[in-house]
Amino acid sequence: MAVGSLVEGIQIAVSWPVIGWMAAGLLAGIVLGALPGIGSPVGMAIVLPLTVPLDPTPALILLISIYSGAMFGGSISAILLNAPGTESAAATTLDGYPMAKKGLAKNALAIATTSSALNGFVAAILLILISPVLIEVVLLFGSVEYFLLAILGISLITIVADGSILKGIVAGAFGFMVSTMGIAIMAPTPRYAFGQLALYDGLNFVAALIGMFAFAEMMKLAVQTQIAEDAVGITGSIVDGIKTVFKYPKAMFKAGVIGMLIGAVPGSGATTSTFVAYAEEARSSAADGIFGEGDPRGIIAPEGANNPTVSGSLVPTLSFGIPGSGSTAVFLGGILMHGLQPGPGLFGDQLHITYALFVSVFLGNIIILGVGYTIIPYASAITKLDTDVIIPMVIVLSFIGAFSLRRSWFDAFGVLALGILGYYMVKYNYSVIAFVLGIVLGPIAEENFFRALQLSGGGYGIFVSPSRPLSLGISILIILALVGPFLGPYIREVVDSRR
């Protein structure tokens, strides 16, 4: 079955118009990633409601292509402006901008293109190769395990997110609460509707994604006094940049492994993987490195980790419905909006869709390679787009997209309300991702919670039963994730005092 699904997935990925949507998504992602303050979550959130007329497979390929393209595109503004277009490209600025100021901007951009694309399609091949193992693992999970995984996903996000752990938990719990608005999943009872018929359907999670990412980011961008430094000239050699990458195969290999492994960890993301890859390369190459002054390995490491993170992040998102970043949260929203469910379905009857996504990531990185080299001489033009034009365009598209979902003004005003909420959450260090995950995972968690109780006849012991070691293990991980950060410092203090 797996081989047949793989062949079908390849046929879908290379068919028209699917490959056209893939190319369009990559180009859009590169441009969005290159614009400081925009990035993949904003672009994906705007495009998400526009994919409603598409079939699920091309729609999801379009979204994942925007994500993949933005991972590379962020390096353009990071290198030329010292302003990363995406958070994951922040590590690239450390050596990319200094190299560009030395007159080697083309070298730096070629290094970024080659590192990102080569490691990206190697990671996609590995993803396809390990998929038979994923299928077996996913089939071990039932309603009990999926409920616990949803809780674990929120718990992990609160730990790795910036700011207070308590604030992260509050944000995730508030997202869960917002997801319960409307008619209950398992009973025809309205909740928090306040007698308003418009609230019976609840808040559309796609509108929430648009508000929290697109609208809130535009508010943040509008109040910034300076977004980027002055652009440097596009000089240097593309060929020399490509050759430089192959001088450091060890750095490439380590970056790819780090990117894929961290991407596969729920609660992580490309920002984490790129900084870890950069830090590891700086540590291991300290003897002969000039990191922070234009060392090429300082570009190879973060850029070699970013696109493998995309492949790695598909593992928890498709398998268990646990995204680890804003981009994968929007992607999960696309999966649900198109009537698909993460888990056994995507690795069973719909396995061909999963393989089509994997193949599209592979093909997409080949396209990035070609497009990246082509646009290097003209890359500075992308970074000169005026935010006074971009901000109103994004806001208008956000409202149109939200309204078009259900022809509901409530969804459109929900974008406004959640956009303002998202702006202040960022301002006061509350995790936006935890909140969004609460909204997206809330219905999944609630449905599986009630199914689990039906299986146990109403007994809560099923979640920690020794007869279900998998659910017991996940329950223990949840406790450790929530309690560990508070007990960790105390335990270290006790251990140090006994030495």
Side-chain angles (χ1 to χ4, degrees), residues 17 158 175 263 337 451:
T158 61
M337 189 182 77
R451 284 180 178 173

Side-chain angles (χ1 to χ4, degrees), residues 353-380:
I353 295 177
T354 303
Y355 274 128
L357 288 172
F358 293 168
V359 172
S360 71
V361 173
F362 171 79
L363 295 176
N365 280 283
I366 297 176
I367 294 174
I368 286 174
L369 206 60
V371 171
Y373 293 147
T374 303
I375 67 172
I376 284 175
Y378 318 102
S380 61

Side-chain angles (χ1 to χ4, degrees), residues 367-422:
I367 294 174
I368 286 174
L369 206 60
V371 171
Y373 293 147
T374 303
I375 67 172
I376 284 175
Y378 318 102
S380 61
I382 299 176
T383 63
K384 292 177 181 177
L385 291 174
D386 193 344
T387 53
D388 291 338
V389 176
I390 295 168
I391 292 172
M393 283 179 60
V394 171
I395 290 175
V396 169
L397 287 172
S398 297
F399 277 108
I400 293 174
F403 178 77
S404 67
L405 291 168
R406 300 184 297 192
R407 299 293 191 274
S408 169
W409 284 109
F410 176 75
D411 289 336
F413 286 114
V415 167
L416 174 63
L418 287 174
I420 295 171
L421 175 64

Side-chain angles (χ1 to χ4, degrees), residues 94-400:
L94 300 176
D95 281 282
Y97 189 65
M99 182 180 283
K101 287 203 296 184
K102 293 178 181 178
L104 300 173
K106 286 186 179 180
N107 300 58
L109 289 168
I111 290 170
T113 304
T114 309
S115 303
S116 182
L118 287 182
N119 270 1
F121 62 68
V122 169
I125 292 172
L126 290 175
L127 190 61
I128 294 171
L129 293 177
I130 66 172
S131 57
V133 179
L134 283 178
I135 295 169
E136 297 299 322
V137 172
V138 168
L139 294 177
L140 295 175
F141 285 74
S143 295
V144 177
E145 289 77 19
Y146 275 104
F147 165 72
L148 292 172
L149 276 172
I151 304 301
L152 178 62
I154 295 293
S155 304
L156 290 173
I157 282 289
T158 61
I159 293 173
V160 301
D162 292 334
S164 164
I165 294 172
L166 184 59
K167 286 182 177 180
I169 295 172
V170 169
F174 185 51
F176 261 104
M177 187 184 76
V178 171
S179 76
T180 62
M181 292 171 59
I183 301 296
I185 291 176
M186 304 301 288
T189 306
R191 301 175 300 188
Y192 309 114
F194 307 107
Q196 300 294 318
L197 288 177
L199 291 175
Y200 273 47
D201 290 331
L203 178 65
N204 189 289
F205 63 84
V206 177
L209 292 170
I210 295 171
M212 296 301 286
F213 289 117
F215 197 94
E217 281 297 320
M218 292 307 99
M219 288 184 64
K220 188 172 76 172
L221 195 61
V223 300
Q224 290 179 355
T225 55
Q226 183 177 4
I227 298 170
E229 297 186 18
D230 293 333
V232 296
I234 307 291
T235 55
S237 169
I238 295 175
V239 175
D240 288 346
I242 296 171
K243 291 178 179 178
T244 301
V245 174
F246 291 98
K247 290 180 182 178
Y248 301 104
K250 186 178 178 182
M252 279 281 287
F253 174 76
K254 282 194 299 182
V257 171
I258 289 171
M260 192 159 187
L261 290 179
I262 291 181
V265 175
S268 278
T271 305
T272 304
S273 66
T274 52
F275 272 102
V276 169
Y278 182 90
E280 165 55 26
E281 190 56 37
R283 181 202 63 80
S284 62
S285 304
D288 62 340
I290 49 170
F291 289 87
E293 300 177 24
D295 194 307
R297 288 167 292 187
I299 303 175
I300 292 171
E303 291 302 311
N306 62 19
N307 255 316
T309 304
V310 176
S311 295
S313 68
L314 289 177
V315 175
T317 306
L318 296 176
S319 304
F320 310 117
I322 303 178
S325 65
S327 299
T328 45
V330 179
F331 182 66
L332 177 61
I335 293 173
L336 299 174
M337 189 182 77
H338 284 278
L340 303 175
Q341 287 291 331
L346 286 175
F347 288 88
D349 296 339
Q350 296 158 337
L351 184 58
H352 60 285
I353 295 177
T354 303
Y355 274 128
L357 288 172
F358 293 168
V359 172
S360 71
V361 173
F362 171 79
L363 295 176
N365 280 283
I366 297 176
I367 294 174
I368 286 174
L369 206 60
V371 171
Y373 293 147
T374 303
I375 67 172
I376 284 175
Y378 318 102
S380 61
I382 299 176
T383 63
K384 292 177 181 177
L385 291 174
D386 193 344
T387 53
D388 291 338
V389 176
I390 295 168
I391 292 172
M393 283 179 60
V394 171
I395 290 175
V396 169
L397 287 172
S398 297
F399 277 108
I400 293 174

Side-chain angles (χ1 to χ4, degrees), residues 38-104:
I38 308 296
S40 56
V42 176
M44 293 170 72
I46 294 170
V47 170
L48 183 55
L50 305 180
T51 66
V52 170
L54 299 179
D55 291 333
T57 306
L60 296 179
I61 286 176
L62 172 62
L63 291 173
I64 202 67
S65 297
I66 293 174
Y67 182 20
S68 186
M71 286 295 100
F72 159 67
S75 67
I76 296 175
S77 54
I79 291 169
L80 298 182
L81 298 177
N82 200 31
T86 59
E87 291 182 357
S88 61
T92 306
T93 62
L94 300 176
D95 281 282
Y97 189 65
M99 182 180 283
K101 287 203 296 184
K102 293 178 181 178
L104 300 173

